[in-house]
Amino acid sequence: MTDRLMIFDTTLRDGEQSPGASMTRDEKIRIARQLEKLRVDVIEAGFPAASNGDFEAVKAVAGIIKDSIVCGLARANDNDIRRAGEALADANAGRIHTFIATSPIHMQMKLRMAPEQVIEQAVKAVKLARSYRDDVEFSPEDAGRSEPDFLCRILEAVIDAGATTINVPDTVGYTMPEQFGGLIRTLRERIPNADKVVWSVHCHNDLGLAVANSLAAVTNGARQVECTINGLGERAGNAALEEIVMAVRTRRDFFACDTRIDTTQIVPASKLVSAITGFPVQPNKAIVGANAFAHESGIHQDGVLKSRETYEIMRAEDVGWSHNKLVLGKLSGRNAFRQRLKELGIEMESEESVNAAFARFKDLADRKSEIFDEDLQMLVSEEAAGQVGEHYKLVSMKTQSETGEKPTATVVIGEGSDERHADATGSGSVDAVFRAIESIAGSGADLQLFSVNAITGGTDAQGEVTVRLKKEGRIVNGAGADTDIVVASAKAYISALNKLHSKLERAHPQV
Ligand code: KIV
Ligand code: ZN
């Protein structure tokens, strides 16, 4: 007899709190569709009170997703709960997730509230949330550093007030697996009405223990885990969905529970999130890293050839690695293109957008003989970024590099109806291009990260470049792809500048 473990994905909310990972409404919709295909139980689509943009994104996801519960985050106050309730009004199945901090340091220093006031506010919030939805989750923020006696009191009160899921967060990634598992057991044993709710956990990865802590909680009765694709999330991130799901699936004998996840959708989800957020996946990352199933040493290769179970505890195809297949080529027509987009869960809003994306596809197919799903995802991301309203546009560029000479670059950038030219030299072609672009934009931003990844295999693969810029405390990521990595770099730099320019401000739920 195996119990069901619910998977609550918070890529679109906690994942979005990673520096520079904020997503547009359309990007959230694309990821939400993939999460639905992956069969996650709950999609936390955002924090509706953060900004009008986030409200609209949660509302749009709630209107589209049918097979997963759509959740909106709300602090424990009337305005946040009302906004979450309104954003979820069209959801087939909607959940309000409300929270308030319960650790002594958070209550004293951040909230400046007495413990009794915190209980009162939590109960009031849960009651209000229940007036909008029957499905209400409550989290005592920083539970990992809260006093167990106080947690027992507040959780008993919110369960009485109507909470249906209790989520225990290790907000700062402080606890150790045995300790965190013990906390879940203690709460379940000591709270008299504990059997009326589903117990959930939400672990951060500051000490690299998010997955271990979540799994320790599962062995102590948690039946929902909050996690993100690729472990994206605030600071060092959240527990990685792919690791939780595959640990429980591979070791069903140990956990005595399982999820309803379609594991073959894991790698496509990982690639999509990486392409949209510009956060590359490290090659040795479990399950979704490029080397996760690569056997380098001769002894391992020999063993795997004789019997794959000698060194493989999972099969690459079971987590979606076989997905990387040739899908379209130069001779593919518009209908085949549209059909493949549909299969990937991408719905473009207008015929105009399909035509523009198709023109980009034809252009790419001229330069690259085989087009893979990852290429299509990147192409659509670029098309969507263009529609958000680009302040700067790459019109053309030329670079020259020769052994022993300083590389030079000439770029032409569109800014509104103007076209502006600049020349620069640099220590390499990319450096020269960035200097030329910066001499036009004059952003003064700090370059914090520059990374290049091949989207697929082969020397004609598109290079996917991420550029992270920081200006006045704001951090943005820009992504660009091209078969020429210097062009991809220019696109990524311009995409980051456009994000800085858009000045989209949003409230942070926990600050
Ligand atoms: O880390 C945390 O405590 C959170 C809560 C809002 C659940 O993200
Ligand atoms: Zn969190």
Side-chain angles (χ1 to χ4, degrees):
M1 184 62 184
T2 50
D3 265 9
R4 163 87 163 279
L5 176 66
M6 291 181 61
I7 295 295
F8 176 117
D9 180 277
T10 182
T11 307
L12 301 179
R13 197 280 296 171
D14 215 321
E16 198 189 23
Q17 287 172 213
S18 310
S22 69
M23 299 167 226
T24 64
R25 168 185 168 280
D26 289 355
E27 289 169 339
K28 284 197 170 190
I29 291 173
R30 280 174 63 203
I31 294 179
R33 286 188 200 279
Q34 177 60 29
L35 292 172
E36 188 180 36
K37 262 174 129 178
L38 183 62
R39 304 198 71 226
V40 304
D41 297 278
V42 187
I43 298 174
E44 189 165 50
F47 169 40
S51 65
N52 288 338
D54 222 22
F55 177 87
E56 290 304 330
V58 176
K59 190 169 162 55
V61 170
I64 288 169
I65 298 300
K66 297 285 170 262
D67 190 40
S68 307
I69 296 168
V70 178
C71 175
L73 183 72
R75 288 167 297 197
N77 68 54
D78 293 4
N79 177 58
D80 278 27
I81 290 167
R82 183 177 48 80
R83 290 295 275 168
E86 287 166 2
L88 294 169
D90 296 334
N92 190 28
R95 172 181 297 184
I96 297 178
H97 174 191
T98 186
F99 73 99
I100 191 163
T102 51
S103 62
I105 183 166
H106 275 229
M107 290 192 289
Q108 279 160 27
M109 309 306 290
K110 183 174 93 166
L111 300 176
R112 296 186 196 285
M113 285 168 76
E116 294 313 315
Q117 286 176 298
V118 171
I119 296 182
E120 203 178 303
Q121 190 157 327
V123 165
K124 198 169 153 236
V126 167
K127 284 189 175 158
L128 182 60
R130 277 299 301 256
S131 72
Y132 287 93
R133 310 270 356 165
D134 288 341
D135 186 351
V136 170
E137 174 170 323
F138 174 80
S139 294
E141 188 195 357
D142 203 15
R145 292 189 298 171
S146 301
E147 284 162 6
D149 286 350
F150 182 62
L151 282 177
C152 288
R153 282 177 53 216
I154 190 167
L155 295 180
E156 182 179 350
V158 293
I159 297 170
D160 270 346
T164 46
T165 297
I166 295 295
N167 176 51
V168 182
D170 183 17
T171 304
V172 292
Y174 179 73
T175 59
M176 294 292 126
E178 221 180 305
Q179 187 185 14
F180 192 64
L183 175 64
I184 300 303
R185 175 172 294 269
T186 303
L187 296 175
R188 288 184 55 237
E189 283 174 359
R190 281 186 41 198
I191 296 175
N193 47 7
D195 59 337
K196 300 216 162 31
V197 291
V198 172
W199 287 86
S200 168
V201 289
H202 174 114
C203 298
H204 279 270
N205 205 30
D206 300 66
L207 293 171
L209 293 170
V211 169
N213 282 342
S214 306
L215 294 175
V218 172
T219 56
N220 283 284
R223 284 296 173 263
Q224 175 180 282
V225 172
E226 301 200 354
C227 44
T228 57
I229 304 289
N230 300 336
L232 202 67
E234 186 87 41
R235 304 181 310 280
N238 289 65
L241 177 145
E242 58 278 8
E243 295 178 23
I244 299 284
V245 167
M246 290 315 291
V248 168
R249 178 72 45 95
T250 308
R251 296 302 312 275
R252 244 178 308 206
D253 59 320
F254 181 80
F255 289 104
C257 60
D258 200 3
T259 69
R260 63 163 204 163
I261 294 292
D262 174 358
T263 59
T264 63
Q265 293 298 329
I266 286 179
V267 170
S270 160
K271 293 196 176 208
L272 179 64
V273 168
S274 172
I276 286 180
T277 58
F279 273 69
V281 175
Q282 76 198 52
N284 57 332
K285 166 83 179 62
I287 322 289
V288 294
N291 293 348
F293 292 88
H295 296 277
E296 189 64 41
S297 90
I299 296 175
H300 286 205
Q301 283 175 356
D302 181 54
V304 169
L305 284 175
K306 285 177 179 145
S307 162
R308 59 195 287 177
E309 284 82 33
T310 49
Y311 286 99
E312 275 188 12
I313 56 166
M314 299 165 278
R315 297 188 317 168
E317 54 270 36
D318 290 348
V319 297
W321 275 108
S322 54
H323 221 78
N324 185 354
K325 59 178 188 285
L326 170 68
V327 289
L328 296 171
K330 196 176 164 148
L331 298 177
S332 308
R334 194 182 307 259
N335 279 344
F337 176 73
R338 195 197 298 265
Q339 178 59 26
R340 190 61 203 155
L341 292 188
K342 217 169 149 205
E343 284 162 14
L344 288 173
I346 301 169
E347 270 172 36
M348 303 201 90
E349 272 184 5
S350 64
E351 201 50 29
E352 250 186 330
S353 319
V354 176
N355 290 344
F358 186 64
R360 276 177 189 263
F361 159 70
K362 281 290 180 189
D363 177 50
L364 180 62
D366 273 340
R367 289 176 286 135
K368 188 172 184 285
S369 51
E370 302 174 323
I371 310 271
F372 298 93
D373 285 346
E374 292 83 346
D375 293 310
L376 290 183
Q377 295 279 17
M378 188 47 88
L379 191 139
V380 172
S381 293
E382 289 192 328
E383 187 51 40
Q387 285 167 6
V388 171
E390 287 172 317
H391 183 76
Y392 301 108
K393 233 185 169 102
L394 177 66
V395 178
S396 64
M397 57 177 274
K398 190 169 126 194
T399 55
Q400 200 167 355
S401 66
E402 197 181 329
T403 327
E405 297 293 326
K406 226 173 170 172
T408 61
T410 302
V411 298
V412 181
I413 304 284
E415 188 177 0
S417 54
D418 290 344
E419 276 194 4
R420 302 175 60 191
H421 296 232
D423 299 309
T425 57
S427 56
S429 299
V430 171
D431 188 40
V433 168
F434 282 12
R435 283 173 193 273
I437 297 172
E438 186 56 30
S439 75
I440 294 172
S443 75
D446 230 30
L447 178 69
Q448 300 224 308
L449 175 107
F450 169 70
S451 86
V452 187
N453 252 310
I455 297 185
T456 55
T459 51
D460 72 344
Q462 292 202 86
E464 175 191 16
V465 175
T466 303
V467 163
R468 184 174 301 156
L469 296 179
K470 180 172 182 188
K471 188 175 176 189
E472 289 156 9
R474 241 183 110 207
I475 297 179
V476 293
N477 282 337
D482 201 278
T483 47
D484 178 334
I485 58 165
V486 184
V487 176
S489 306
K491 287 182 178 173
Y493 196 84
I494 290 173
S495 137
L497 286 177
N498 281 331
K499 285 193 179 167
L500 270 185
H501 197 264
S502 74
K503 295 212 170 58
L504 274 178
E505 290 304 343
R506 51 204 313 283
H508 185 300
Q510 288 158 286
V511 180

